[in-house]
Amino acid sequence: MKKITPNGKLVKELREQLEKGSLQKGMSHAIGIAERSLRSIENDNAAISIQLLERIAEYLGVSREDIAYAIDAPRLVPPASIEVSDVLLDLGKDRLIPRFERDFAYATMDEGQLFEDAKRSDDLTVFIGTALTDETSSYVEELTRLLSPLTWTKRDWLAVADPADEIATRRKLRQLLVMLKGNDVWLYYIHQLRRLPERFTEAPKDEPYELKYRLALAFGPPGEYGEVSMEIDVDNGQPWLLEGWKTKRRAD
């Protein structure tokens, strides 16, 4: 699994400016890691997975690119001219999130992470970015049919999950990932937060809304020169204003 070097100093400063959950204990619990692991990230820039980077960014209300030294660029450290204060100043600006935009999905061979992210998603969408044969299209179809029933909108909440069924599903997902990769088709995915109801214009401030997660699967060619990402079209549900950090206050 690809590891990313986070900007620990910036993560710490953003955390400390949160109105709620500004303590390491609260944040570590929310993103599903031990408190000592969060200390390692903030103090030592400990390498983390793309999935954990996304959870941290979501918790802090920023994009994953804002808190990583590099994801797909060869640069492993930021230029000396970039200071945390400059990044914070940029994050202090309001940003209009468009309904449709381009984002990066990341390659995975981790069937367990796919299984868990599908369970945490409200729905699932598929993007085909390479030519498929009859063989590979059957693999894509079967993999999609395995993951779709796990999502919130498809899951039967009254049914009791059978551990044996979960093990079998994970094993089949692993087999499909291996067979796809053996045929030069990689699976890339992104766990996306959407704002609903769907609309093309920015909603009035007093209009109710809800946030839903979508698992976007992208099937594409193998990455070249060590690349592990694929740019895809994403639908954010509706345009909305992401308030800058200038509106935040420290609670502690």
Side-chain angles (χ1 to χ4, degrees), residues 17-215:
Q17 293 187 45
L18 293 173
E19 290 186 349
K20 296 181 180 180
S22 63
L23 300 179
Q24 285 183 333
K25 182 177 181 180
M27 178 173 172
S28 60
H29 176 75
I31 62 177
I33 63 174
E35 192 172 343
R36 63 178 179 276
S37 298
L38 179 57
R39 286 197 295 269
S40 295
I41 292 170
E42 294 183 345
N43 299 331
D44 304 319
N45 297 334
I48 58 177
S49 66
I50 284 286
Q51 290 77 20
L52 179 53
L53 180 71
E54 289 180 342
R55 294 202 298 273
I56 293 174
E58 179 186 324
Y59 184 85
L60 297 174
V62 298
S63 72
R64 55 178 175 255
E65 287 79 10
D66 290 331
I67 57 172
Y69 280 150
I71 293 181
D72 287 306
R75 171 173 59 87
L76 295 180
V77 295
S81 59
I82 296 182
E83 300 291 340
V84 170
S85 58
D86 296 329
V87 178
L88 290 172
L89 181 63
D90 185 61
L91 292 176
K93 302 174 183 177
D94 292 345
R95 289 183 290 169
L96 181 64
I97 306 299
R99 174 170 179 180
F100 301 104
E101 62 178 340
R102 302 281 287 176
D103 203 347
F104 286 99
Y106 291 88
T108 185
M109 288 293 291
D110 188 340
E111 75 284 354
Q113 190 65 53
L114 270 177
F115 186 93
E116 293 300 327
D117 278 343
K119 288 174 61 177
R120 289 194 290 263
S121 300
D122 293 277
D123 63 1
L124 178 152
T125 188
V126 175
F127 173 81
I128 307 297
T130 189
L132 299 177
T133 65
D134 288 343
E135 179 184 2
T136 54
S137 63
S138 68
Y139 297 154
V140 169
E141 180 182 357
E142 187 172 0
L143 190 147
T144 304
R145 290 186 184 278
L146 286 173
L147 291 175
S148 183
L150 300 175
T151 60
W152 288 58
T153 53
K154 300 288 186 180
R155 194 184 315 166
D156 182 359
W157 290 100
L158 298 179
V160 178
D162 186 339
D165 290 340
E166 178 175 334
I167 293 171
T169 299
R170 288 173 181 250
R171 182 174 63 248
K172 189 58 180 179
L173 286 172
R174 178 66 179 176
Q175 292 171 348
L176 291 168
L177 290 172
V178 170
M179 289 188 288
L180 282 168
K181 192 170 186 179
N183 284 275
D184 290 331
V185 178
W186 284 18
L187 171 61
Y188 304 80
Y189 87 102
I190 180 174
H191 201 213
Q192 176 198 358
L193 185 64
R194 306 179 71 230
R195 180 165 167 149
L196 302 175
E198 292 184 346
R199 55 181 295 148
F200 292 97
T201 58
E202 190 177 351
K205 291 185 178 180
D206 58 348
E207 181 177 278
Y209 68 89
E210 57 182 345
L211 298 175
K212 299 284 188 178
Y213 281 104
R214 166 171 286 178
L215 182 65

Side-chain angles (χ1 to χ4, degrees), residues 228-248:
V228 292
S229 67
M230 176 180 176
E231 194 173 14
I232 64 172
D233 294 315
V234 296
D235 180 357
N236 293 317
Q238 61 174 255
W240 53 284
L241 187 68
L242 177 64
E243 294 184 348
W245 278 85
K246 64 179 179 293
T247 62
K248 306 294 184 182

